[in-house]
């Protein structure tokens, strides 16, 4: 297929470019920075310079193209702050950004649209040992610091599923780890001796290596059922204390510094909500059954080369 990819130079975008090329697809990659043309070309794609948030400029950039699929993998995680603000750039990319890319899909005649969502869209809450599936309620708000992130996933999914004439599919990813992903970001903070753990009880989440995430995206694009969401996670949910300790071991960084839970919440309210209040386990059984996909890295230690 002929694919238009937004987010081609991000943590998942780079392995996704390679995975799409390996599967025989032709990729046109949207890049905002012209300096990234070489990165895209090295991975077998054709770069087009445009800003997803500039609707007019984006539509002019793709005018005259005929493509089959638009894939929305654009985020602004590298610029994320310690607090989620109303003008958070990733929030904009999943709201108006999705709208702009759907408009681009119509301009290029694409019949299919695949968007990036998150398992945290199930809500920031202690679900204990319960394993969530795609049949569980998505978009629950619990009145905490995680609600704005939940709203971003709902925004991109609703637009994708409700787009007339478009086969919409959503990928609910676990926390990305691997090259240039959250594990690298946490390792950088550990090197700077930034306190990264609250004292006492912590929650947990589900992960996915960026290579596995890329392969799941290709599988969903090729075989996913329109109107469906798929959880994309590995086999082993992990507690935050184990996650940060394993990242420190893999990267050879200092061990994490902890803070009292009240101080941690005050300093980083969103991370406090995620790391103290939220325990989230989800199943990838649907993606395995319907897409023929399963993670090649079943857990964090294997994905970071420690197993």
């Amino acid at each position: 297929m002929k694919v238009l990819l937004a987010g081609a130079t991000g943590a998942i975008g780079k392995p996704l470019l390679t995975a799409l090329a390996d599967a025989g697809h032709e990729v046109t990659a949207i890049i905002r920075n012209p300096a990234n043309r070489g990165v895209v070309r090295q991975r077998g794609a054709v770069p087009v310079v445009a800003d997803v948030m500039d609707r007019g400029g984006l539509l002019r950039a793709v005018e005259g193209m005929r493509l089959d699929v638009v894939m929305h993998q654009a985020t602004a995680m590298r610029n994320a702050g310690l607090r989620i603000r109303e003008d958070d750039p990733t929030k904009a990319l999943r709201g108006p950004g999705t709208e702009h890319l759907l408009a681009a899909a119509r301009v290029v005649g694409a019949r299919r649209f695949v968007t990036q969502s998150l398992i945290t869209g199930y809500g920031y809450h202690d679900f204990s040992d319960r394993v969530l599936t795609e049949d569980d309620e998505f978009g629950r708000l619990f009145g905490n610091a995680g609600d704005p992130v939940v709203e971003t996933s709902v925004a991109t999914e609703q637009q994708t599923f409700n787009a007339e004439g478009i086969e919409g599919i959503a990928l609910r990813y676990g926390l990305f780890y691997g090259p240039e992903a959250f594990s690298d970001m946490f390792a950088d903070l550990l090197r700077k001796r930034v306190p990264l753990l609250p004292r006492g009880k912590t929650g947990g989440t589900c992960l996915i290596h960026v290579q596995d995430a890329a392969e799941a995206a290709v599988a969903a694009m090729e075989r996913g059922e329109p109107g469906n969401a798929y959880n994309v996670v590995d086999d082993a949910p992990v507690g935050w204390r184990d996650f940060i300790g394993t990242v420190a071991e893999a990267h050879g960084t200092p061990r994490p510094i902890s803070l009292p839970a009240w101080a941690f919440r005050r300093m980083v309210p969103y991370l406090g909500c995620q790391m103290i209040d939220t325990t989230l386990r989800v199943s990838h059984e649907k993606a395995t059954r319907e897409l023929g996909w399963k993670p090649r890295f079943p857990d964090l230690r294997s994905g970071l080369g420690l197993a």
Side-chain angles (χ1 to χ4, degrees):
M1 289 185 274
K2 295 182 178 179
V3 183
L4 181 67
L5 173 62
T9 59
I12 183 176
K14 290 176 182 176
L16 181 52
L17 284 173
T18 301
L20 286 165
D22 288 348
H25 301 293
E26 299 177 27
V27 183
T28 299
I30 300 170
I31 56 171
R32 190 169 60 173
N33 185 350
N36 287 325
R37 285 191 179 103
V39 172
V40 167
R41 289 185 178 124
Q42 287 171 3
R43 289 167 172 79
V46 176
V48 57
V49 178
D51 185 347
V52 168
M53 296 308 302
D54 176 3
R55 187 179 190 276
L58 173 64
L59 299 187
R60 287 191 296 272
V62 300
E63 188 175 2
M65 297 180 184
R66 304 304 297 172
L67 303 170
D68 303 307
V69 182
V70 173
M71 191 173 287
H72 183 0
Q73 299 282 355
T75 65
M77 298 301 185
R78 294 171 185 165
N79 301 319
L82 296 178
R83 297 172 182 265
I84 300 174
R85 307 181 312 274
E86 188 60 34
D87 62 348
D88 180 77
T90 294
K91 187 173 182 178
L93 282 166
R94 292 195 173 129
T98 302
E99 178 188 346
H100 299 167
L101 285 167
L102 283 165
R106 293 190 170 90
V107 167
V108 303
R111 68 183 186 276
R112 179 160 285 218
F113 190 95
V114 181
T115 195
Q116 179 185 128
S117 186
L118 298 170
I119 62 167
T120 48
Y122 289 107
Y124 286 76
H125 178 70
D126 184 359
F127 292 96
S128 189
D129 292 333
R130 183 181 169 202
V131 178
L132 304 182
T133 74
E134 293 85 350
D135 292 330
D136 283 286
E137 181 181 356
F138 192 78
R140 290 184 65 184
L141 303 178
F142 289 91
N144 55 38
D147 282 358
V149 179
V150 175
E151 291 169 342
T152 66
S153 291
V154 171
T156 194
E157 288 199 14
Q158 288 184 343
Q159 291 183 79
T160 298
F161 295 149
N162 295 331
E164 187 175 351
I166 298 287
E167 300 175 352
I169 296 168
L171 298 171
R172 296 173 180 171
Y173 291 116
L175 183 78
F176 290 139
Y177 75 96
E180 300 183 33
F182 284 110
S183 53
D184 278 8
M185 293 169 59
F186 274 87
D188 287 342
L189 292 172
L190 287 167
R191 292 186 187 97
K192 297 172 185 176
R193 305 295 286 172
V194 174
L196 269 183
L197 268 179
R199 289 177 195 157
K201 177 182 177 292
T202 60
T205 192
C206 292
L207 311 176
I208 189 69
H209 191 281
V210 288
Q211 182 63 47
D212 283 328
E215 292 175 2
V218 176
M221 184 189 77
E222 294 174 340
R223 298 184 289 280
E225 284 293 321
N228 274 253
Y230 296 94
N231 294 333
V232 179
V233 297
D234 66 20
D235 297 333
V238 65
W240 282 102
R241 200 170 303 279
D242 288 341
F243 172 78
I244 293 176
T246 303
V247 168
E249 180 183 351
H251 288 264
T253 68
R255 303 294 292 181
I257 300 172
S258 62
L259 284 177
W262 66 266
F264 192 86
R265 287 182 189 278
R266 180 172 295 181
M267 186 174 75
V268 277
Y270 168 69
L271 283 182
C273 173
Q274 185 175 43
M275 297 176 72
I276 300 171
D277 302 329
T278 304
T279 299
L280 183 58
R281 301 167 183 265
V282 304
S283 167
H284 65 73
E285 189 273 335
K286 179 180 176 181
T288 298
R289 182 182 72 251
E290 295 189 8
L291 306 180
W293 168 88
K294 64 179 181 179
R296 67 173 63 191
F297 299 111
D299 55 40
L300 177 65
R301 293 191 69 82
S302 63
L304 292 181
L306 297 174

